Structure formats: C-alpha cells, structure tokens
Amino acid sequence: MPIRQLSETMINQIAAGEVIERPASVVKELVENALDAGASRVEIVTAGGGLSLIRVTDDGSGIAEPELSLAVARHCTSKLSDDIHDIRSLGFRGEALPSIGSVARLSIRSRTARGDSAAEIGIEGGRVSAVKPAAANQGTTVEVRDLFFATPARLKFMKGERAESSATSDVVKRIAIAFPSVRFTLAGADRSTLELPATGDTPDGRLARVAQVMGKDFPDNAIAIDAMRDGVHLAGHVSIPSYTRANALQQYAYVNGRPVRDKLIAGAIRGAFADVLPRDRHAVTVLFLTLDPATVDVNVHPAKADVRFRDPGLVRGLIVGAIREALAGAGIRAATTGATGMMAAFRPGAAPYAHPGPTSGHRSYEAAYHASGSSGFDPSRSPHRPLDMGYSEMWPQRNGFAESEQAAFDTGPLASADTRAGTAEPAEALLGMVLGAARAQVHENYIVAQTRDSLVIVDQHAAHERLVYEALKNALHSRAVPSQMLLLPEIVDLPEEDAERLAMHSQTLAKFGLGLERFGPGAVAVRETPSMLGETNVQQLVRDLADEIADNDTVETLKERLDKIAATMACHGSVRSGRLLKAEEMNALLRQMEATPGSGTCNHGRPTYIELKLADIERLFGRR
C-alpha cells in the first residue's frame, strides 16, 4: 500500500484514542479548560454516565468570536509560550476539543467580558459548522452529546452507567481539591448531586475542601506535611496509621497543581507507611509537590496524568522522609473512628444472672493471680518472661550483633519495669498522660487504663511488639549492619548499565552489610552479605536491587528486608498474650508507648489501643 496523508478527521480520531478514553476524560479536559480560563464557578451536568450528555458551564474569561474556529483546530492553544519546559497551566497541547469533536457531537457557546453577545460553534464527527451568534452570560458552555457515536467500536469498551458516573465523580473531586476557591457542582439524572462550595485558598480553606471531598473524619485523623528540599516543596496531609482504607483511591497527589497518578509518588507513600500499615490497607493522603516546571516533564502522555521528574530520587526521598518525620512528631494518636466502631460493638441491655465462665481458652484472672502468688506476677512461677527479659540470648546469636551492642536495648522498651516502679508517678498524676493510668488487665491480654476524660484499652502484645521493633530498628540503622564474608565471591551477571548503577551505590549498600564491586563490564562480585539474612539468594537480591535503582534510584529493597527480619524478631520477643502484668509493668508499657513514634499500631498495622471518650460512655448509658 502506498504512503498517503491521513485525513484530518482520521488524525483527530487517532488522537482521541489517547486523550479521550471514557466520559471522565472528557470532563477532565473541559474542567481543566474552565480553570485555565480563570473560572470561579464550574457546573457539570451528565446523562447516561456521560455517554449521552456532558455539559460543562463556567464563568471564566470566555473565547472571543474570531477565535472560536481556532479553538476547535488541532494544536491551537493560548496557554503555551515558546518554551515547552515552562508549563504553568493544566492544558497546553491544543488537542482536547478537536479530539472530542471527532468522536461526538460538540457545541461551544462562549462570551467574553467585553463582548456584546455570545457566539457558538459546533462539530459533529469531525465536521465543523460555521460560527453563529448566540445568547449567553460571560463564560463558556461546552456540550458533548452522543460520545463515541462516530467510533461505535469504542462503545463496546465502556463500563456500565454507574461505573462511568463514578469515574466522573472521582475526576471532579481530584481537581476540586487543588482549587478550593472554585465552586464545583456535578449533577444529572444519572447521579446524586455533588456540590462543593468554595472554601478559599487559605490553609484552613484548603483543609475544608479536603474534608468536603474525603469526609469530615479526615481532618481529625490527619497530620500536616510541610517540607522543602533542594527547591522542591511538599505540603498536604496524611492520615495517622490507624486511619486507613481498603484501597488507594483516596490517595491524591498534585504536581504544580496538576492532579497526577504517578507510580513514583505512590511507591514513596507505600514506603513511608511500610511498617505501620497492614499489607491490605492503604493510607489516606493529599500531597502537593511544587517545583520548577523545568525539572518535571508533564508532556509524557496526552492525558497528562503521568509525569517524569528530573531527579526522582530527590522527590522520593523528600516524600518518604517528610511523612516519616511527621508521623514521628505527631506522637501517639488513635483514630477518632475507633470509638464509633467500639460503641457499635456494645449491646446495652440486662445481663444474665449467671455466667458460664471463660470459654476463650485463657486462664481466669483469679487462677493466674493465685498461681503467681498474692504479690502478683512472679517470673519463677510462670513460663512467661517479664518485660526486661527474653532478648539477651536471641538477638546477638541469631543476627550477628556483638554483645556490646546489646546495650542499645537496655534503655529501650525492654528496660526493667521494676527499676521504673520505684520512681513511678502517683496514679492521679498519670491521669493527665495520653494513655492515662493502668487500672486493670482483662483476659491477660488487654490493659484497661483511665485518663481524665476517656477509657483506653491497650493490646499488650501488639503494643510491646511495636516498642521492641522500634528499638531494634534504631540499633540496626544507627551503625553499619554486621556482614558475613562469603567463602567464594558470588559473581552476578547483569546488563552493563545495571552493574554501573550498583557500583555507584556500593558505599550505601556496604552500610547495609552488602559488599560488592564491579567484575568486568557486565557483572558484579558480591563478597559480603548482611548477617541478618543468613542463607540468602544473592543472585535474586542483587537483581532486585538493580531493578529498584533503575526505577527509583534507591536501595530500599535491602533496607526493607532487614526491617522485616527485625519485625519478626520483635514479634517473637514481645510480651505474649496471656501474660499477667503487675501495675508497674502496665504503666511502664503505657509510658514507653507515649514516648515511641508510631506506637499507635503494631508492626503489622493493627491498632495497639482504642480510646473511648467519657461522653461516648455516657451516651451508651443514656446520660446524654
């Protein structure tokens, strides 16, 4: 077949396949055009999931009548200067309107502030009609009907009306978070109306807009983020570890005000929350990255949802470091939604006259008490070890730490509770602490504590597991990780560029106990591995590291493996369920939790304590 020039309609339909994937894509492009025009009010109406009708109305600057024909021509835009690297608007390619017009019935009615009247232009399947006068207020109304009628094969790939409506709602919410001073309305016969009044472009206003989109519980369970590194500014909010979701749909990221779905940012969020969330739970985040437009490429894909950073390692490190620092500085906090779930679990009513006794397999409290003696817990009479025991043998032998390094844990959560008992504060003074004063232990696993205005229930095993884990991590990362010399160096064949990347990070890898060096152009020689890993697949480890460095320019894989070993050791070295604790031990555990970052959840992401306010308790008994 001879080479020939494609028709303008065919070119636009090919472009539409990239820009216009579904009705939500149309809404995204039209709303972004409205915001670039300086709109303070944007109204969206849909029908049939957006396939039958999409109408976007704004009060922006409008389009002058002589420019309407250019607005629907490919690669015509008012938003791009001569420098493709200096993009400060949401749109810039000049492809959206002609792409939509090539696969749907499109009409544009617009009026500028200086115009005496409005003008209208239409496109149907790529055929442009003449500009004609119309009646309208200042701003622009874009109406799209019968989406994909010109490319019916595309309709087969559309989901149901409800799914398409949901995708459109998600797009509007994502954009709305970045523009709190704009009022958004999304309505139609195929959906319930979504109204997002303007809240103002102040810190309080931005948080109020986030609450509109993500729910009123989020601000009460969020931590503010504000960090700067090498010209890159990160701001926003992240949820506390005990406030999570089953998916990552409520993770919002913005680069210079543009909503993006970037795998580097998503990976950095996962890394920051790696040891405080369960594997099947996700943090709730709203993060804004602001940097020089010349250092980020938003022209990766016509949909403009992907970006590329000039220094991805800097961006990832900033996100991970800022979130972890914020979590550490936030202290110990329980999710406000925990009390709601706890109240729902209670069933007020008359108790039976007789109780069948314990059925959970635990000893009764009285039996444990009498077995230990009237003075409480006695290590000599119990198979369980007290809080300050259980690690002196296990950690150095299994993981290669010298005996002198055991001192790192002696002042941590494993320090003797009896030593602290002599200087313990009176119970009345402890009521003012975050976790209050220990009052009882139930089912030999849950510590019941009282503060001045709440009741706190602590899972002793989960709490102590987190304390031990943090102590192990601090010791692990405060010095070079012990390594073991291989009898024969392991030669790993790699592509030359991967070998070069590993060699560039060899000093960092050495701190984690992995000693390697170049071995010819396409291989590395591994001479040492971390002692903690024991027998490990060196070939797979090195290749995983090479892949991660290629993607993110980091060596987090090795660090995560070492942290996982520490988490396992912490689980086995913690005070077990079924251990009867003395009051001094319980209070010592509570005080250590208050002093340890991230102690609101265990290493597996489960909550370590639940707080029920006195007002909630009174409500349960009908006092309020």
Side-chain angles (χ1 to χ4, degrees):
M1 181 180 293
I3 298 175
R4 62 187 178 88
Q5 176 70 47
L6 294 175
S7 67
E8 190 68 20
T9 300
M10 182 66 72
I11 292 172
N12 285 337
Q13 288 180 347
I14 292 173
E18 297 180 318
V19 180
I20 309 304
E21 301 176 2
R22 60 195 306 186
S25 305
V26 176
V27 173
K28 171 183 177 294
E29 297 293 340
L30 298 183
V31 171
E32 287 181 349
N33 283 345
L35 295 171
D36 284 338
S40 61
R41 175 179 51 83
V42 179
E43 298 177 356
I44 307 106
V45 177
T46 64
L51 293 171
S52 301
L53 169 68
I54 296 174
R55 184 189 302 120
V56 177
T57 304
D58 68 71
D59 60 351
S61 58
I63 305 173
E65 181 178 345
E67 296 180 351
L68 271 177
S69 57
L70 285 176
V72 295
R74 292 187 75 234
H75 305 310
C76 294
T77 181
S78 62
K79 306 170 187 178
L80 189 63
S81 63
D82 294 333
D83 186 2
I84 187 64
H85 301 295
D86 188 24
I87 298 173
R88 300 180 183 274
S89 57
L90 296 175
F92 60 91
R93 297 174 63 98
E95 289 184 319
L97 292 177
S99 296
I100 296 170
S102 69
V103 296
R105 295 182 173 92
L106 171 71
S107 67
I108 305 173
R109 187 185 306 114
S110 189
R111 178 179 178 179
T112 62
R114 298 181 180 181
D116 296 330
S117 63
E120 183 176 0
I121 191 172
I123 314 177
E124 184 172 334
R127 296 186 299 274
V128 183
S129 63
V131 179
K132 59 183 180 181
N137 296 324
Q138 178 185 337
T140 303
T141 298
V142 181
E143 188 171 280
V144 180
R145 291 185 178 273
D146 302 327
L147 184 62
F148 298 129
F149 89 95
T151 54
R154 197 67 179 273
L155 289 172
K156 299 177 182 178
F157 295 92
M158 295 299 105
K159 298 181 179 180
E161 181 178 303
R162 180 175 297 179
E164 297 300 340
S165 297
S166 177
T168 298
S169 299
D170 182 63
V171 164
V172 173
K173 290 176 180 178
R174 285 184 180 274
I175 297 176
I177 287 177
F179 295 88
S181 59
V182 179
R183 177 186 178 88
F184 291 86
T185 303
L186 176 60
D190 56 346
R191 66 174 68 250
S192 56
T193 301
L194 171 67
E195 291 190 11
L196 301 174
T199 57
D201 198 13
T202 63
D204 290 341
R206 288 191 287 271
L207 188 57
R209 169 55 59 84
V210 170
Q212 289 178 349
V213 172
M214 305 176 70
K216 61 181 181 180
D217 287 332
F218 179 71
D220 295 332
N221 296 280
I223 305 169
I225 302 290
D226 192 351
M228 172 78 79
R229 184 185 299 176
D230 295 341
V232 182
H233 181 230
L234 177 67
H237 291 80
V238 299
S239 62
I240 59 177
S242 53
Y243 184 85
T244 61
R245 290 290 183 269
N247 55 48
L249 293 180
Q250 286 201 330
Q251 291 183 356
Y252 298 93
Y254 302 84
V255 177
N256 290 339
R258 180 188 305 280
V260 298
R261 294 179 181 271
D262 185 74
K263 68 176 184 178
L264 183 143
I265 296 176
I269 294 172
R270 284 196 304 271
F273 284 92
D275 59 356
V276 295
L277 295 184
R279 289 186 178 181
D280 58 343
R281 304 297 294 181
H282 300 266
V284 182
T285 62
V286 180
L287 297 177
F288 296 89
L289 278 167
T290 306
L291 65 166
D292 185 348
T295 62
V296 58
D297 183 6
V298 299
N299 194 28
V300 177
H301 188 274
K304 305 183 292 295
D306 297 325
V307 295
R308 295 292 182 271
F309 298 100
R310 180 179 296 179
D311 191 348
L314 168 64
V315 174
R316 178 185 170 85
L318 174 62
I319 295 173
V320 174
I323 293 178
R324 288 182 175 174
E325 183 178 352
L327 292 175
I332 184 168
R333 289 173 58 183
T336 58
T337 54
T340 304
M342 187 175 179
M343 289 182 65
F346 278 106
R347 297 290 182 268
Y353 287 103
H355 194 279
T359 59
S360 61
H362 289 298
R363 299 175 300 164
S364 67
Y365 187 92
E366 290 79 10
Y369 183 88
H370 291 302
S372 298
S374 58
S375 60
F377 178 76
D378 184 352
S380 64
R381 304 184 187 180
S382 171
H384 303 289
R385 305 183 68 114
L387 285 173
D388 58 341
M389 300 176 67
Y391 244 86
S392 57
E393 314 95 347
M394 175 166 51
W395 175 255
Q397 290 179 5
R398 291 193 181 183
N399 299 289
F401 271 72
E403 290 184 6
S404 59
E405 292 176 299
Q406 181 64 25
F409 309 109
D410 291 342
T411 56
L414 305 180
S416 173
D418 292 326
T419 303
R420 281 175 272 184
T423 58
E425 299 179 67
E428 184 63 28
L430 295 180
L431 295 179
M433 308 295 285
V434 175
L435 297 180
R439 294 304 193 195
Q441 182 188 28
V442 296
H443 293 293
E444 296 87 67
N445 187 47
Y446 300 101
I447 299 171
V448 179
Q450 175 190 349
T451 70
R452 297 194 191 282
D453 63 349
S454 65
L455 174 75
V456 177
I457 302 178
V458 178
D459 183 331
Q460 67 186 40
H461 172 67
H464 196 238
E465 184 177 350
R466 165 61 68 177
L467 303 183
V468 175
Y469 178 49
E470 291 299 326
L472 295 181
K473 278 204 309 180
N474 291 337
L476 181 64
H477 301 306
S478 63
R479 61 182 64 81
V481 175
S483 60
Q484 57 187 2
M485 183 76 71
L486 299 181
L487 186 61
L488 293 175
E490 183 95 22
I491 308 302
V492 184
D493 293 321
L494 296 164
E496 186 172 351
E497 57 271 19
D498 284 346
E500 179 64 27
R501 294 189 189 102
L502 286 167
M504 291 175 60
H505 286 77
S506 60
Q507 291 185 350
T508 303
L509 292 171
K511 294 179 181 179
F512 291 108
L514 184 67
L516 57 79
E517 58 188 30
R518 289 294 294 270
F519 190 79
V524 295
V526 179
R527 302 185 181 278
E528 296 175 322
T529 60
S531 300
M532 290 177 65
L533 295 182
E535 294 291 334
T536 187
N537 187 334
V538 177
Q539 298 272 344
Q540 189 62 48
L541 174 62
V542 171
R543 289 193 172 90
D544 288 347
L545 286 169
D547 290 342
E548 181 172 5
I549 293 172
D551 285 343
N552 304 316
D553 196 32
T554 64
V555 291
E556 289 294 313
T557 295
L558 184 55
K559 179 178 179 295
E560 288 172 0
R561 289 196 183 190
L562 298 179
D563 284 348
K564 199 170 292 185
I565 297 291
T568 302
M569 299 301 295
C571 184
H572 290 286
S574 304
V575 57
R576 312 306 297 174
S577 300
R579 253 283 312 275
L580 187 63
L581 302 179
K582 294 188 290 186
E584 294 84 356
E585 290 180 308
M586 290 188 284
N587 279 314
L589 185 63
L590 298 181
R591 302 291 78 78
Q592 193 65 36
M593 288 177 65
E594 293 166 348
T596 303
S599 60
T601 59
C602 73
N603 331 345
H604 312 294
R606 295 190 297 269
T608 58
Y609 77 99
I610 297 174
E611 183 177 18
L612 188 63
K613 292 295 184 181
L614 180 59
D616 294 329
I617 299 175
E618 291 176 340
R619 195 175 297 115
L620 281 171
F621 286 96
R623 291 178 174 268
R624 289 199 174 203

